[in-house]
Amino acid sequence: MKLSEAVTSVTLNTLSRIPGAPAGAAAFTLFHMPFARSKARPSERALLEQAHIDRVRVNGSHAVTYQWGDGTRPVLLVHGWQSRGSRLSGLIAGLLDRGFSVIAFDAPGHGDATGRSATILDYRAVITELHERYGTFEGLVAHSMGALASFYALTHGVKAERIAVISGVCDFDYLTDAFTSALRLRPELTARLRQEIKKNLFPDLPADRSPFSAADTSEEVRSPVLVVHDEDDSRIGVEQGRRLAAAFGDRARLVVTSGLGHRRILGDPDVVRTVLDFVGQEPDRNAPAESQSVSAD
């Protein structure tokens, strides 16, 4: 455990012994606060300079939006936690070559956006605003926590003709479990955090669907889905990818890679090609439910 995490753990667990709910509220606040802000890599800066840059106001903060192309045939790229839109830059040239426009953003608290935190509601707000600007996305490519947020937006009016998920989170509970485990929160405090999540994020969801899970959306989201996940992903276990693909049945294709982990998978040439081919054409209905794409370090 890092020093900052250790201090946070001691503080929250101590607060949890005080009557009332200050510790639960504090845990909820920290749960949505990235501990690090990603900076653009040198290889990403040239692409960012070519983009049309705009902003979306979200709860007092501003997300930063990026557009490559003229805005027609839009494909949306959705980054994960403690990441930024340019982390999916390996897909941009190929999408443009295929005649798509590319849309990306930095969520509040991420990249060049303002603010210190972001919730799944903030992601939904940005995705919804971009959907209103550009119309139905011909493709939506999401990484990590961005996948869960994308499916949440897709159940609230956003439309995408094809959905590609890379190293994606399927269940909101997975994020909660990872957070409470990393900080070694006491069971009483974990229970309070779950109450705060239910109250603040998912008050209208039925009890059997709260917190939110992308696995519950297959009846509402009818688009074909590509799921790419690495079996050595130590951040989001491959079982999350398998669970998502299984939920969508014959409308999903699962590609399991090896040796790429959680982040290098985004720039792997085989993965990039697979995603581009999927977005660029209707998926093969006769393809097997699962295929293997093995890449070494």
Side-chain angles (χ1 to χ4, degrees), residues 104-295:
F105 65 90
D106 297 341
H110 295 74
D112 292 333
T114 63
R116 283 287 293 116
S117 64
T119 70
I120 194 171
L121 304 184
D122 296 330
Y123 268 78
R124 183 187 69 183
V126 178
I127 295 171
T128 299
E129 172 63 26
L130 292 174
H131 181 259
E132 292 175 354
R133 288 185 189 180
Y134 297 99
T136 297
F137 300 115
E138 291 204 18
L140 188 159
V141 184
H143 178 238
S144 193
M145 184 267 185
L148 187 70
S150 295
F151 277 98
Y152 195 57
L154 289 163
T155 63
H156 287 79
V158 171
K159 304 294 182 185
E161 294 184 4
R162 290 171 292 279
I163 304 160
V165 172
I166 306 173
S167 309
V169 178
C170 179
D171 305 305
F172 196 95
D173 267 342
Y174 189 92
L175 300 176
T176 309
D177 291 343
F179 177 80
T180 58
S181 176
L183 295 184
R184 301 176 185 174
L185 299 188
R186 299 171 62 238
E188 296 87 346
L189 181 51
T190 297
R192 292 188 199 176
L193 173 60
R194 294 187 188 281
Q195 290 171 0
E196 291 289 326
I197 288 170
K198 165 67 175 172
K199 178 181 70 175
N200 291 286
L201 300 183
F202 309 114
D204 299 325
L205 277 182
D208 63 345
R209 294 184 60 177
S210 182
F212 176 76
S213 172
D216 295 330
T217 68
S218 60
E219 293 302 314
E220 298 167 84
V221 181
R222 304 301 299 173
S223 306
V225 178
L226 170 68
V227 179
V228 185
H229 215 116
D230 196 80
E231 64 183 3
D232 300 314
D233 190 330
S234 60
R235 189 175 180 90
I236 308 297
V238 68
E239 70 276 4
Q240 284 286 284
R242 294 187 189 280
R243 175 165 158 74
L244 177 60
F248 280 79
D250 61 4
R251 284 184 286 121
R253 178 188 175 203
L254 174 64
V255 177
V256 177
T257 62
S258 178
L260 297 175
H262 187 67
R263 294 187 177 89
R264 288 198 312 278
I265 193 170
L266 288 174
D268 178 73
D270 289 337
V271 171
V272 169
R273 189 179 309 111
T274 297
V275 173
L276 291 175
D277 288 346
F278 170 78
V279 172
Q281 62 185 9
E282 286 296 324
D284 182 0
R285 298 298 181 181
N286 297 317
E290 176 174 342
S291 57
Q292 294 284 338
S293 173
V294 180
S295 302

Side-chain angles (χ1 to χ4, degrees), residues 8-90:
T8 301
S9 174
V10 170
T11 301
L12 289 176
N13 282 316
T14 300
L15 277 174
S16 70
R17 301 178 186 279
I18 301 174
F28 180 78
T29 297
L30 289 172
F31 180 60
H32 296 103
M33 189 176 293
F35 286 110
R37 185 183 288 262
S38 294
K39 297 181 179 179
R41 297 166 180 160
S43 60
E44 299 167 357
R45 289 180 187 141
L47 273 173
L48 292 176
E49 291 172 357
Q50 297 169 16
H52 171 73
I53 299 176
D54 204 345
R55 284 166 173 73
V56 173
R57 186 171 179 81
V58 183
N59 292 329
S61 300
H62 284 93
V64 177
T65 66
Y66 306 93
Q67 175 191 317
W68 294 267
D70 62 6
T72 61
R73 304 190 66 203
V75 174
L76 179 66
L77 309 181
V78 185
H79 69 79
W81 192 246
Q82 295 185 166
S83 186
R84 57 183 298 135
S86 58
R87 288 295 185 264
L88 291 93
S89 61

